[in-house]
């Protein structure tokens, strides 16, 4: 039997050689046409919507106060930039280059100042916005810059303050809060003077922070601690904590301040927190199918203007889950929007007529 099989294989091989057949050409990663893109891992993407190239690894975005532009923070290997995307013409109208930036973006209530985290430089950039143009301003210094060792040198330990992440500003515009990811601290800054008012230690690495609509409570997602901490926004005195899933990151708060949604990246779910009760009242699954193992990597959440829909960026599924959260306790996924590679953020426009999605890769 083995001899017969060898003869058959030899005959087939010889026949192929005689006919001059060649193996089909291997597909290369990249655009295949028809809106289809092939990834290096073999997956094919057919993202929805219209696409504009904005920069290297876009991580965060905010809509301009007049609703005509989208400002995007690009935080990859290239020099960080803030791209100004023109909605009407669907082009990048300008890009402001920064020395350091990562994730944190927050408008001042006056609509004329945009604050951007300075990452490893331990600063926050105060940028100016006027007539559709973004210009540089002052840097608010929150601590000494990170120690970056020369090539071959050992990294100094410990680094007491390092890497500014998420930002939040009080509704009255008087105070800003910033989390230091590696330094595991929280800073409160007086925006009138630019001085740090107080800095407190956190139990693990934070990701970002959100201020309640009444300006009284500050919420901090503890990326390395599977919880959300609550603080008195005036004094930074602890006001409780809520256990959530592993690697909590982005948060979205309803306009009445009663419900907080937290994306937990090491799970397939978003935790919904009942703020008054100080507890997580619901876990909203964003997996593509029931019982799926962790791997969706939800890394951003945002609410529609009427607080009835929640957008969840599933980084490793290349989708945006659209959740119906109109009834607390019985939230459900209405569907998924296919995206580009590794979505990092998604949000509704101010008027709710559009959805903006960042594809990080």
């Amino acid at each position: 039997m083995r001899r017969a099989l060898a003869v058959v294989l030899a005959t087939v091989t010889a026949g192929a050689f005689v006919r001059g057949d060649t193996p089909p050409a291997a597909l290369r990663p990249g655009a295949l046409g028809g809106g289809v893109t092939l990834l290096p891992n073999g997956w094919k993407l057919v993202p929805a919507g219209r696409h504009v190239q904005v920069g290297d690894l876009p991580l965060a975005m905010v809509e301009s106060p007049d609703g005509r532009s989208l400002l995007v923070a690009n935080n990859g290997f290239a020099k960080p930039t803030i791209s100004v995307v023109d909605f009407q013409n669907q082009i990048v109208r300008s890009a402001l280059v920064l020395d350091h930036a990562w994730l944190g973006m927050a408008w001042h209530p006056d609509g004329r100042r945009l604050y951007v985290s300075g990452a490893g430089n331990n600063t926050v950039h105060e940028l100016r916005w006027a007539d559709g143009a973004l210009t540089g301003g002052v840097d608010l210094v929150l601590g000494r810059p990170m120690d970056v060792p020369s090539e071959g040198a050992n990294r100094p330990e410990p680094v007491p303050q390092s890497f500014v992440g998420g930002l939040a500003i009080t509704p009255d515009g008087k105070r800003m809060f910033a989390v230091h990811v590696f330094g595991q601290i929280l800073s409160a800054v007086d925006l009138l003077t630019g001085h740090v008012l107080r800095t407190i230690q956190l139990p693990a690495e934070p990701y970002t922070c959100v201020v309640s609509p009444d300006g009284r409570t500050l919420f901090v997602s503890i990326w390395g601690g599977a919880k959300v901490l609550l603080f008195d926004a005036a004094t930074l005195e602890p006001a409780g904590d809520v256990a959530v899933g592993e690697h909590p990151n982005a948060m979205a708060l309803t306009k009445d301040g009663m419900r907080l949604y937290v994306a937990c990246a090491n799970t397939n779910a978003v935790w919904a927190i009942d703020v008054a009760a100080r507890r997580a009242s619901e876990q909203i699954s964003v997996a593509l199918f029931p019982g799926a193992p962790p791997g969706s990597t939800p890394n951003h959440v945002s609410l529609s203007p009427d607080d009835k829909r929640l957008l969840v960026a599933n980084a490793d599924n290349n989708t945006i889950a659209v959740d119906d959260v109109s009834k607390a306790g019985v939230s459900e996924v209405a569907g998924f929007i296919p995206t580009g590679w590794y979505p990092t953020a998604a949000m509704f426009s101010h008027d709710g007529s559009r959805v903006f999605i960042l594809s990080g890769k």
Side-chain angles (χ1 to χ4, degrees):
M1 187 180 294
R2 285 194 293 271
R3 284 197 298 271
L5 180 60
V7 170
V8 171
L9 290 176
T11 303
V12 171
T13 303
F17 179 77
V18 169
R19 291 195 303 271
D21 291 346
T22 58
L27 292 176
R28 294 181 179 274
L32 301 181
V36 181
T37 297
L38 177 66
L39 298 184
N41 63 5
W43 291 0
K44 291 180 181 178
L45 300 181
V46 188
R50 299 181 180 180
H51 299 264
V52 177
Q53 295 293 324
V54 293
D56 185 15
L57 188 62
L59 289 182
M61 58 181 163
V62 291
E63 189 175 355
S64 64
D66 61 10
R68 296 180 180 178
S69 304
L70 191 70
L71 287 76
V72 180
N74 303 295
N75 308 120
F77 286 114
K79 200 80 167 176
T81 61
I82 306 298
S83 296
V84 179
V85 181
D86 183 325
F87 288 160
Q88 182 176 356
N89 299 305
Q90 297 188 22
I91 60 170
V92 174
R93 188 168 63 245
S94 62
L96 180 66
V97 179
L98 301 174
D99 287 333
H100 302 269
W102 187 74
L103 189 73
M105 297 182 77
W107 282 111
H108 190 276
D110 65 14
R112 298 192 299 270
R113 286 175 281 175
L114 177 66
Y115 292 89
V116 177
S117 64
N121 208 35
N122 280 311
T123 58
V124 174
H125 306 291
E126 185 182 79
L127 309 179
R128 298 289 174 169
W129 176 257
D131 300 323
L134 190 66
T135 55
V138 299
D139 282 355
L140 308 180
V141 179
L142 307 189
R144 65 179 178 81
M146 285 180 63
D147 292 316
V148 180
S150 59
E151 187 174 353
N154 293 324
R155 181 176 295 278
E157 294 288 349
V159 179
Q161 295 187 18
S162 58
F163 213 85
V164 176
L167 308 174
I169 296 176
T170 55
D172 61 11
K174 294 180 179 180
R175 184 173 295 193
M176 177 181 65
F177 303 99
V179 298
H180 301 242
V181 180
F182 301 138
Q184 301 180 20
I185 58 177
L186 167 67
S187 294
V189 181
D190 184 333
L191 290 181
L192 181 62
T193 65
H195 297 158
V196 175
L197 296 171
R198 187 180 179 191
T199 294
I200 63 171
Q201 191 70 43
L202 298 172
E205 296 88 350
Y207 188 88
T208 193
C209 51
V210 174
V211 181
S212 62
D214 62 11
R216 296 180 179 179
T217 306
L218 177 70
F219 304 88
V220 178
S221 56
I222 303 300
W223 203 9
K227 65 177 65 176
V228 173
L229 301 183
L230 285 70
F231 296 93
D232 183 307
T235 64
L236 289 192
E237 290 300 314
D241 64 82
V242 179
V244 294
E246 291 184 353
H247 283 203
N249 48 82
M251 299 180 288
L253 190 61
T254 54
K255 290 181 175 62
D256 61 9
M258 300 305 294
R259 197 163 172 83
L260 179 71
Y261 297 95
V262 186
C264 297
N266 271 22
T267 75
N268 285 339
V270 171
W271 263 248
I273 294 176
D274 182 329
V275 174
R278 298 288 198 268
R279 66 180 181 85
S281 58
E282 187 179 8
Q283 293 180 31
I284 308 169
S285 174
V286 292
L288 291 179
F289 55 89
S296 296
T297 317
N299 65 351
H300 190 266
V301 288
S302 65
L303 284 159
S304 60
D306 61 6
D307 285 343
K308 292 183 178 181
R309 296 273 172 154
L310 182 75
L311 299 179
V312 185
N314 289 332
D316 284 319
N317 279 348
N318 303 314
T319 63
I320 300 299
V322 183
D323 297 344
D324 182 348
V325 294
S326 57
K327 296 181 181 179
V330 290
S331 303
E332 60 181 358
V333 175
F336 296 90
I337 300 173
T339 72
W341 191 6
Y342 203 86
T344 55
M347 71 178 192
F348 288 93
S349 59
H350 292 330
D351 62 7
S353 65
R354 304 183 187 188
V355 169
F356 306 120
I357 298 170
L358 297 183
S359 295
K361 298 183 181 181

